[in-house]
Amino acid sequence: MNAPQRVAAAVILALAVTGCAAKTEPTPPEPSAGGGSSVPGPTVVAVPVPPPTLPGFWYVDPGQVCQRFVTSLYSADTRRDARTGDAYRRAMRFASGTLVGQSAAADHDGRWTTWSAHRAYLQAVVTPFDDAQPTADHGINARRAYRVSATPVGEDGWRGRTEHSVADCALRRGGPDGAGWRVTSYEIRMAGLR
């Protein structure tokens, strides 16, 4: 399976697992065993959501798009955010319309209660990660990776465990999301806890 097929498979799997924006359309009636008419039930159809944009950002460099996406993912701040999914929603300014529709699981993070008790924010350092076997960019597809060290820090001096991870972004240029680069899928790999 080549890289575009893997990305497409990952997007389809993510849509199936996490849910996506949907609209309901009627299905044709099925014949019933009793000979009477059956009432059609709704069918869920995935609908791409237009991605939000960041005013003044041009989306011309896939590295900058991935870095801003990852930095936004790790921008949780209990002092300004209503819930943990707010950081995910900020990251969606750099994502494709398909990825934007997958935010259902973003509001479920068991650490949020602890962070809120300390009025914590994530102190994150995001740096380029040089992969041992980088993949070549193509005209419309690119991959970028960033190393992340994120520590929850409370206003009261509390510090949680630092999470070390690598965020891999698959990006695509053009299509229904516009002329610039957008993150179409991503993977967070844990690099250890210290």
Side-chain angles (χ1 to χ4, degrees), residues 138-151:
H138 300 285
I140 58 171
N141 295 312
R143 294 193 75 78
R144 295 292 185 273
Y146 283 84
R147 184 183 315 271
V148 181
S149 294
T151 306

Side-chain angles (χ1 to χ4, degrees), residues 7 19 48 51 55 73 110-111 134 150 154 186:
V7 170
L73 279 178
R111 302 171 295 180
Y186 68 100

